[in-house]
Amino acid sequence: TRYGTVTGVQTCALPILAPHLPENLLPEALATAREIGDEKYRARALTGLAPHLPENLLPEALAIAREIGDEHYRAEALTGLAPYLPEILPEALATAREIGDEKYRAEALTGLAPHLPENLLPEALATAREIGGEYSRARLLTGLAPHLPENLLPEALAIAREIGDEYSRARLLTGLAPYLPEILPEAL
């Protein structure tokens, strides 16, 4: 740090340097991430560091993520940590569901989708149904589709059929078609 604050260059460099840092420097990298004042860049630094952190540093990374006040960036940080801390998936899902902006809510849930256990997928699907913006709803359902168990696919299709915007509906039907081959004519 320079003069006790984290500079913009350091903020951008952390995720780039993370794969190349020796393990003994990772605590310092995490401490630097904690000092980043801009929550957007703090979340991105945590997300970039997460795959490289040893197990003993993950709780500290989680604590830093939980300190982020902005719901969107907190969800982004939790989404980045989720693959390495599966026990936080319910918290990450709850945080994502609380995001006021539907676009960011859909984005966070799409990022979580590959990591969600089957018991949390109905909640993610319910969240998709609640999203008013058809484009965001279609985007989220398209991201969820590959991870949905067979018993939830009909509900995803019902939600798709409720979308009035033709582009969004077509995009979603195309995303569902590999998992529901019987809708190929409708998707076409």
Side-chain angles (χ1 to χ4, degrees):
T1 60
R2 186 174 186 196
Y3 309 113
T5 62
V6 177
T7 67
V9 172
Q10 289 166 318
T11 298
C12 295
L14 270 177
I16 296 166
L17 291 174
H20 310 289
L21 292 175
E23 194 166 318
N24 67 323
L25 289 181
L26 289 170
E28 185 179 339
L30 195 55
T32 300
R34 183 184 289 272
E35 293 175 19
I36 296 171
D38 186 309
E39 292 183 331
K40 175 170 112 176
Y41 294 112
R42 190 178 330 139
R44 291 189 179 156
L46 285 171
T47 300
L49 285 170
H52 312 287
L53 293 175
E55 198 171 303
N56 66 319
L57 289 180
L58 288 170
E60 184 181 345
L62 178 58
I64 296 168
R66 286 176 172 154
E67 292 168 3
I68 294 174
D70 182 281
E71 59 191 12
H72 170 230
Y73 299 124
R74 185 172 58 253
E76 184 179 315
L78 290 171
T79 299
L81 288 168
Y84 312 100
L85 289 165
E87 66 272 14
I88 69 161
L89 284 166
E91 177 186 352
L93 179 59
T95 301
R97 288 190 77 175
E98 293 169 7
I99 296 173
D101 185 299
E102 291 181 339
K103 176 184 164 207
Y104 293 132
R105 187 179 331 140
E107 186 179 294
L109 288 164
T110 300
L112 282 173
H115 311 291
L116 292 175
E118 196 168 314
N119 67 316
L120 291 179
L121 288 168
E123 187 178 342
L125 192 57
T127 302
R129 184 179 285 282
E130 296 165 3
I131 291 178
E134 292 183 331
Y135 178 82
S136 293
R137 188 177 339 137
R139 187 168 176 222
L140 172 54
L141 284 167
T142 302
L144 281 173
H147 312 288
L148 293 176
E150 202 172 294
N151 66 317
L152 291 179
L153 287 168
E155 184 179 347
L157 179 58
I159 296 169
R161 288 181 171 145
E162 294 169 4
I163 292 177
D165 176 62
E166 291 178 355
Y167 173 79
S168 296
R169 187 174 61 247
R171 182 175 179 204
L172 176 52
L173 289 172
T174 302
L176 286 172
Y179 311 101
L180 290 165
E182 66 271 15
I183 69 162
L184 283 172
E186 184 178 351
L188 184 60

